[in-house]
Amino acid sequence: MTDVAHSNAAVLAPDLAGHNHDPHLAHHFDTPDQQYQSGKLAMWVFLGTEILMFGGLFCAYAVYRHNHPEVFEFAHRYLDRTLGAVNTLVLIASSFTMAWAVRCSQLGLNKPLKILLALTFLGGVGFMGIKTIEYEAKWKHHVFVGSKNKYRNDSLKGVGKPVDSNTEFEEEGAEVEPPAENKLSAHKTAPGAEGKAEASHEAAAKRSDVGATTWGRGIVDPNAGTPDEAAIRPTYADPGGLAAGVVPGHHGEMHYADLTDAQRQHVYTFFSIYFMMTGLHGVHVLVGMALIAWIWLRARRNEFGPTFFTPVDLVGLYWHLVDLIWIFLFPLLYLIH
């Protein structure tokens, strides 16, 4: 492509009278190749900043899911994984048509270019249409950003059902188990596992020279009572010993009764992250659709060909990033178990 750009620059370079000039070459660039490489570098830098922005949200997701794993497993049942899977297929197909459109622009195939750009745009329309259906269902069933959500759990079929009571998560006739001591109390403990855990705590305390303090299950501070004592105390840690000895077998679907009072207060955290991540992604889809419409209008004027295809190439890069982000969002939000 560099050779093609240089040959185009030689053909389109202005003569001594300045009569011939590439209409697509900005005045501050010497050659079309220099302009293309500069634009490509700028787009990659921009995409890097986009990754950093979404990276912060992915970090927040990782932290909250680690701190409240049962909450995320329970709350994700309010999402329709079928619609999420269809949206994933739609975006993957649109990414294919976009890549094909870039190739057609490089070869000067204007008619296929316009058709492929239109198909990519329709893919974005389909994605946003399905997402609108999902958001509408959340609105009707009182699932919002913030702590004022109301849910009904065990009759869940893809989405939540509204609750008439003013108490969050309250379900008519549901027998709620008493709050457990920790997040593993909703599961059956193997015989003898509790005694082994207590023995491990005692052994850890004996190993400490300063009389270790236990904060919770399996968490011991060997520096308790000294200036090096930890100021931030963790609220949860994996128990010691073999996993099979603590939680035998695989538990079924999470239910409201499986959550402690503290966990029930954090269910809204999942939906706040869900709306923030999918909403921001939706904004990027809309921006991508606007850019695709812009280059489609330019393609109608036969502006793209072997000598100039930079806008199609750069918009294609942006659209691929949008698709890639959703490929990560779908399993993280819809396939929790």
Side-chain angles (χ1 to χ4, degrees):
M1 180 167 49
T2 302
D3 295 337
V4 172
H6 280 304
S7 63
N8 293 333
V11 172
L12 299 173
D15 57 15
L16 295 178
H19 294 155
N20 297 325
H21 183 74
D22 185 352
H24 304 297
L25 182 62
H27 66 87
H28 50 281
F29 293 106
D30 295 330
T31 65
D33 181 60
Q34 183 189 46
Q35 178 174 267
Y36 172 78
Q37 297 296 341
S38 299
K40 199 71 172 286
L41 176 61
M43 176 54 73
W44 279 114
V45 172
F46 170 73
L47 295 182
T49 63
E50 292 288 291
I51 293 174
L52 288 175
M53 178 176 61
F54 276 97
L57 294 176
F58 281 112
C59 286
Y61 171 92
V63 170
Y64 281 108
R65 181 171 174 178
H66 176 269
N67 290 340
H68 310 288
E70 290 85 355
V71 169
F72 274 56
E73 184 175 343
F74 165 75
H76 96 284
R77 298 172 58 206
Y78 287 82
L79 306 183
D80 192 326
R81 66 180 60 183
T82 301
L83 293 180
V86 172
N87 256 349
T88 303
L89 295 177
V90 167
L91 278 188
I92 291 176
S94 70
S95 187
F96 170 73
T97 56
M98 188 69 227
W100 195 356
V102 173
R103 184 55 179 163
C104 289
S105 69
Q106 294 173 343
L107 297 176
L109 304 176
N110 197 59
K111 185 176 180 179
L113 170 62
K114 291 184 289 186
I115 295 175
L116 291 167
L117 289 176
L119 291 176
T120 306
F121 183 87
L122 291 177
V125 172
F127 178 88
M128 293 306 298
I130 295 175
K131 184 54 63 179
T132 300
I133 295 174
E134 287 193 78
Y135 275 17
E136 182 183 12
K138 303 297 179 294
W139 177 266
K140 289 181 178 179
H141 298 102
H142 307 282
V143 178
F144 316 113
V145 176
S147 58
K148 299 304 180 183
N149 296 279
K150 297 179 181 179
Y151 319 89
R152 175 167 293 187
N153 170 46
D154 291 335
S155 57
L156 207 58
K157 298 296 181 183
V159 295
K161 295 188 176 181
V163 177
D164 296 329
S165 173
N166 292 326
T167 303
E168 292 187 22
F169 311 108
E170 183 175 343
E171 184 173 5
E172 297 177 4
E175 296 182 0
V176 180
E177 298 178 357
E181 293 181 358
N182 53 68
K183 300 188 177 186
L184 292 175
S185 62
H187 309 297
K188 183 179 179 181
T189 304
E194 191 67 32
K196 294 180 180 179
E198 294 178 358
S200 64
H201 296 169
E202 295 176 359
K206 292 179 180 179
R207 288 194 301 268
S208 172
D209 296 332
V210 293
T213 299
T214 300
W215 298 331
R217 186 169 189 145
I219 309 175
V220 178
D221 181 11
N223 298 316
T226 70
D228 295 328
E229 181 178 358
I232 301 177
R233 299 186 175 186
T235 58
Y236 174 79
D238 294 331
L242 298 176
V246 179
V247 186
H250 183 73
H251 61 80
E253 281 190 331
M254 292 292 299
H255 298 287
Y256 175 65
D258 297 327
L259 302 178
T260 66
D261 287 340
Q263 291 168 348
R264 293 165 194 164
Q265 300 301 319
H266 288 286
V267 174
Y268 75 90
T269 302
F270 172 84
F271 294 108
S272 296
I273 293 176
Y274 165 79
F275 282 112
M276 180 65 71
M277 300 183 80
T278 59
L280 184 61
H281 177 265
V283 171
H284 282 73
V285 172
L286 293 176
V287 172
M289 292 170 59
L291 293 174
I292 292 170
W294 169 63
I295 60 176
W296 181 83
L297 292 174
R298 297 185 64 177
R300 291 191 61 187
R301 299 193 294 265
N302 298 325
E303 293 189 20
F304 304 121
T307 61
F308 181 68
F309 53 85
T310 302
V312 184
D313 195 7
L314 300 186
V315 172
L317 282 176
Y318 177 84
W319 191 254
H320 295 324
L321 176 69
V322 172
D323 296 349
L324 183 62
I325 291 174
W326 178 258
I327 290 175
F328 281 95
L329 290 180
F330 172 63
L332 291 177
L333 295 173
Y334 290 78
L335 304 180
I336 299 176
H337 205 292

